Amino acid sequence: MKNKIYFLLMFLLFIMNSQLQAQMRLSGKLGGTNADSISLTYKLNGKTNEKRIPVKNGVFTITVPSDTPAMANLKLPFQGQSFDYPFFAERGNLLLRGSVENLDSIMKISITGAPTQNAFNSYIRARMSLIKQADSLDALMASGRADSTVVKPQLFKIGQMISSGLAEQYIKNNPKNYVSLHLLNLLIGSRIDYNRANALFQAIDQSLRASSAASSVKKALSVLQLSATGKPLKAFSIPDIAGRTVTLTDYKGKIVLVDFWASWCVPCRQENPNLLENYNKYHSKGFDILGISCDTDEAKWKKAVNEDRLPWKQVRDWEILKYYGLQSIPSNFLLDGNGDIMAINLRGEELTQKLDQIFSKK
């Protein structure tokens, strides 16, 4: 009888301990605000949950269930509005420290205390270090204290590391970390080449690939595969800015950049001079561009085309964007003479180098 009672007590203690371990406790001291609450959004068993967290004199605490590490989000107050602060929610005690007094203080906010979040912090610090390097080189070049022909290649390499290189390096070096799944999701969202993305996914530990946390990555990969190198671009027939029908067969035999943009997209407009320079350089050799706009306002679309002096054909279409799962612009596909995808999202120096490589052989 005593043995039965003993084992029953041990079993109950085990259950209680498991329940305690399966919780995340987030507490913090947030300076620079008199807000009485903040918002937490997190995932549990694949479902999104939202909680309001009472705040008193900047101090708060909340405990929520947690199964596996997953990205969560805090909405923090700033100057009468709010901003998103993403972090990894996981079992254990997490601690937020920082202030929302100004932009500089916001950059110093941190959440620590659990392995996955601590690993994520290390990645963020490495990325911020690269951004500071790029800013320093930009300042040197702008002040005339550095030769642009020397600095620009350095900036190009740092830019590649910021956009994808650092994340790819992290994934390869940390195949068992949930941060790697998150970074791969971001890379897929930025439209890296499918073959690169799939190779990175296969490099992640099998236990993570089989977890529920990998489901969003798998779904994103299946969409990205549609734009894999060597795949034909989806056929289209769309009226251009003058009302004339444009089809993919119009570009048979040409190297063509299909550029997704909009009049309101600042990075798109900033890239247009580079597109124009490459167009003027290689158009006579068989290079062309097709602009596909996401504008809903026709007048603003036409005005932007005239202001940026874009001589190539322009159309407006949403179906191609939806088909390829494009969620942000600028985006582009470089096609060969058969209409097959050669590369995606080439901008700036990367596009110029690719075209130089292609047309030096012709």
Side-chain angles (χ1 to χ4, degrees), residues 201-251:
F201 184 63
Q202 298 306 321
I204 290 174
D205 191 76
Q206 195 277 334
S207 62
L208 269 188
R209 283 187 278 125
S211 70
S212 59
S215 59
S216 61
V217 176
K218 291 176 183 176
K219 193 178 293 183
L221 271 174
S222 67
V223 175
L224 186 65
Q225 190 174 16
L226 296 171
S227 58
T229 302
K231 292 269 188 178
L233 188 73
K234 178 179 170 62
F236 59 83
S237 179
I238 314 168
D240 69 6
I241 204 165
R244 294 182 293 265
T245 300
V246 178
T247 67
L248 186 58
T249 55
D250 296 340
Y251 297 92

Side-chain angles (χ1 to χ4, degrees), residues 49-322:
N49 301 272
E50 187 170 351
K51 297 278 188 182
R52 298 295 297 176
I53 309 173
V55 178
K56 187 173 182 179
N57 299 324
V59 177
F60 65 89
T61 298
I62 187 170
T63 301
V64 296
S66 176
D67 47 5
T68 57
M71 286 304 294
N73 186 68
L74 282 172
K75 276 200 176 297
L76 302 178
F78 180 61
Q79 296 182 354
Q81 299 180 334
S82 63
F83 68 95
D84 294 336
Y85 187 87
F87 70 101
F88 268 92
E90 61 183 316
R91 301 175 184 184
N93 297 316
L94 278 75
L95 181 65
L96 181 145
R97 285 288 182 266
S99 171
V100 291
E101 184 178 357
N102 52 49
L103 288 174
D104 286 338
S105 64
I106 285 174
M107 295 297 290
K108 296 174 184 175
I109 293 174
S110 67
I111 294 179
T112 57
T116 308
Q117 179 60 28
N118 292 343
F120 188 48
N121 289 339
S122 298
Y123 169 79
I124 295 298
R125 283 194 295 270
R127 196 170 189 275
M128 290 301 297
S129 176
L130 287 170
I131 291 171
K132 287 179 181 178
Q133 288 179 46
D135 288 344
S136 297
L137 288 172
D138 265 330
L140 284 172
M141 195 164 57
S143 66
R145 288 178 292 162
D147 186 346
S148 63
T149 59
V150 175
V151 172
K152 279 186 176 180
Q154 294 176 19
L155 278 172
F156 178 63
K157 287 182 180 178
I158 293 173
Q160 285 184 314
M161 285 297 290
I162 292 170
S163 64
S164 63
L166 184 65
E168 292 186 48
Q169 190 179 83
Y170 185 95
I171 293 166
K172 291 173 183 176
N173 293 338
N174 300 274
K176 295 184 178 182
N177 198 305
Y178 280 88
V179 175
S180 294
L181 280 177
H182 171 65
L183 294 179
L184 181 53
N185 240 339
L186 293 180
L187 288 172
I188 293 171
S190 70
R191 310 296 298 180
I192 69 165
D193 177 73
Y194 167 77
N195 294 321
R196 276 168 63 196
N198 189 50
L200 288 169
F201 184 63
Q202 298 306 321
I204 290 174
D205 191 76
Q206 195 277 334
S207 62
L208 269 188
R209 283 187 278 125
S211 70
S212 59
S215 59
S216 61
V217 176
K218 291 176 183 176
K219 193 178 293 183
L221 271 174
S222 67
V223 175
L224 186 65
Q225 190 174 16
L226 296 171
S227 58
T229 302
K231 292 269 188 178
L233 188 73
K234 178 179 170 62
F236 59 83
S237 179
I238 314 168
D240 69 6
I241 204 165
R244 294 182 293 265
T245 300
V246 178
T247 67
L248 186 58
T249 55
D250 296 340
Y251 297 92
K252 184 75 174 177
K254 293 183 178 181
I255 303 296
V256 58
L257 185 77
V258 179
D259 178 49
F260 299 91
W261 74 294
S263 63
W264 43 262
C265 169
V266 174
C268 302
R269 302 290 295 273
Q270 290 173 337
E271 177 67 7
N272 279 340
N274 180 58
L275 296 185
L276 186 59
E277 183 179 338
N278 281 292
Y279 179 86
N280 290 334
K281 184 177 181 181
Y282 288 118
H283 183 58
S284 61
K285 297 182 180 181
F287 174 61
D288 213 333
I289 300 175
L290 171 64
I292 299 184
S293 169
C294 307
D295 279 285
T296 54
D297 189 315
E298 184 176 353
K300 289 181 179 179
W301 169 47
K302 291 181 176 179
K303 183 183 178 186
V305 171
N306 289 328
E307 285 179 347
D308 294 0
R309 299 180 181 180
L310 308 180
W312 49 86
K313 290 180 181 178
Q314 297 285 342
V315 301
R316 285 192 300 164
D317 184 75
W318 288 93
E319 292 306 313
I320 296 178
L321 273 85
K322 290 176 185 176

